[in-house]
Amino acid sequence: MPIQTTPNIWHNGKLIPWEQATIHVMSHVIHYGSCVFEGIRCYKQPQGSAVFRLPEHMQRLLDSARIYRMELDFNLEELCAAVVDVIEANGVAPCYIRPIVLRGYGEIGVSPKGSPIEVYIANFPWGKYIESQGGADVCISSWNRLAPNTLPSLAKAGANYMNSQLIHMEAETNGYAEGIALDVNGLVSEGSGENVFVVRNGVLYTPPLANSALSGITRDSVLTIARHLGLPVTEQALPRELLYIADEVFFTGTAAEVSPIRSIDRILVGDGKPGEITKKIADEFFGIANGLKPDRFGWLTPVKISSHEPVTA
Ligand SMILES: Cc1ncc(COP(=O)(O)O)c(C=O)c1O
């Protein structure tokens, strides 16, 4: 889907016109993949608009930067305020927000020391990521997720998404909506851009972070909702074949939200329809995000927008 532009992008503390948010081809990030980023959603609600779990996303951005020794001139509070500023300046909600921290133009060579840290935050309209009326048809990827102590999975770094691209392109080429990757030991890890949940005999399972999975904010939201609903939840290593005999399987992610999976490697999940537990969790998740249920966990940051129509530059 082509990006729908908006008037402004936040750059190092200032709003600049969308078309001026460009970088030089000799920037460090272009050659060595040196960036960390976030993906956040702002939902439209009956009472206004609100960003979903903004501080948690920006804390993960700071954590990713810390892992890669990137020192930012902005703290958590300032970064959260910047997200609100850019959304309000652009007047676009609902929207997707993309903060990115990168190593810019300075020196050539692997050492990032001489290249400046640049922070950008863009927002733009974005709809459903996984179009799956009734559930997505997915495959197990032939590509493994990142091995421990190679590229750190807890950092949401641009370089990790070269692996994600391999997973996603293979799935798409073979007619699937998405791929689920195993870790290097053959245990279930995650999708190219989503965490994975499995329901079997009334218990909700998801792989622990040690299986090379990103610490998804939606994953955490689903675990919180499930515990609140009194569902038994366990984070444990999952063998591949559990996916084929599960009652329900679904993806979670900021882009994917809560997306039921209909089949895996052409084997139907349960009876092939979104299951009761998936529906209950999705109902609570979308209820909170869309402002139709109480924000009982304090997940929403309100933004003031006068028009809800997308504004293009
Ligand atoms: C590889 C990967 N795993 C999991 C997720 C889900 O994370 P979140 O729920 O924070 O968006 C994402 C999306 O950011 C991702 O790219």
Side-chain angles (χ1 to χ4, degrees):
M1 186 192 314
I3 300 174
Q4 266 186 272
T5 63
T6 51
N8 304 287
I9 288 183
W10 187 96
H11 175 223
N12 291 348
K14 283 201 294 253
L15 292 172
I16 59 171
W18 176 283
E19 56 283 359
Q20 285 176 24
T22 54
I23 60 167
H24 198 277
V25 69
M26 293 311 290
S27 299
H28 198 272
V29 60
I30 301 271
H31 301 258
Y32 305 114
S34 34
C35 67
V36 295
F37 68 97
E38 272 305 315
I40 312 172
R41 276 193 195 265
C42 174
Y43 287 87
K44 186 178 170 190
Q45 309 185 328
Q47 59 276 25
S49 298
V51 184
F52 191 73
R53 306 204 68 178
L54 176 58
E56 291 87 345
H57 278 285
M58 296 321 257
Q59 183 57 55
R60 187 172 63 184
L61 183 71
L62 289 171
D63 292 346
S64 300
R66 188 182 175 87
I67 291 168
Y68 280 103
R69 301 170 192 262
M70 298 167 122
E71 286 182 20
L72 271 68
D73 290 334
F74 304 96
N75 64 24
L76 180 62
E77 225 173 56
E78 290 164 334
L79 291 170
C80 290
V83 169
V84 172
D85 282 354
V86 73
I87 297 174
E88 291 182 349
N90 286 330
V92 179
C95 65
Y96 185 79
I97 304 135
R98 170 55 55 84
I100 186 160
V101 178
L102 57 90
R103 296 197 189 268
Y105 180 88
E107 293 179 4
I108 195 75
V110 170
S111 169
K113 265 197 325 224
S115 303
I117 300 285
E118 311 272 0
V119 188
Y120 292 87
I121 305 172
N123 80 309
F124 45 89
W126 204 26
K128 283 255 165 278
Y129 183 62
I130 296 187
E131 289 297 348
S132 58
Q133 273 300 52
D137 298 311
V138 311
C139 61
I140 304 295
S141 183
S142 71
W143 294 100
N144 287 141
R145 208 67 183 120
L146 317 164
N149 213 24
T150 58
L151 288 170
S153 296
L154 291 190
K156 190 171 166 65
N160 297 3
Y161 288 81
M162 292 300 277
N163 173 263
S164 291
Q165 286 175 58
L166 291 171
I167 295 165
H168 192 79
M169 287 189 296
E170 179 187 58
E172 234 179 7
T173 302
N174 292 328
Y176 297 99
E178 179 58 298
I180 296 176
L182 308 176
D183 71 5
V184 285
N185 296 311
L187 297 163
V188 177
S189 179
E190 60 179 352
S192 74
E194 309 85 12
N195 292 111
V196 180
F197 281 83
V198 171
V199 177
R200 183 164 156 88
N201 297 332
V203 179
L204 186 63
Y205 298 88
T206 196
L209 303 181
N211 290 125
S212 302
L214 181 72
S215 53
I217 311 291
T218 322
R219 173 185 184 274
D220 179 74
S221 306
V222 164
L223 290 171
T224 304
I225 287 169
R227 289 187 183 111
H228 172 76
L229 295 174
L231 299 167
V233 174
T234 156
E235 290 176 61
Q236 66 170 69
L238 306 177
R240 168 182 184 157
E241 59 275 23
L242 186 71
L243 297 174
Y244 301 133
I245 57 172
D247 301 321
E248 306 177 28
V249 184
F250 60 91
F251 279 137
T252 65
T254 298
E257 301 172 306
V258 176
S259 295
I261 293 175
R262 177 171 50 203
S263 69
I264 301 170
D265 292 340
R266 308 273 180 232
I267 299 175
L268 274 190
V269 175
D271 62 2
K273 300 199 179 81
E276 283 313 306
I277 292 185
T278 308
K279 283 198 269 184
K280 253 192 204 169
I281 289 172
D283 189 51
E284 188 67 21
F285 172 82
F286 286 110
I288 295 173
N290 292 320
L292 304 173
K293 294 201 172 207
D295 179 20
R296 60 179 105 251
F297 309 110
W299 285 343
L300 302 177
T301 300
V303 287
K304 292 190 203 74
I305 292 184
S306 41
S307 148
H308 282 103
E309 292 308 306
V311 180
T312 47

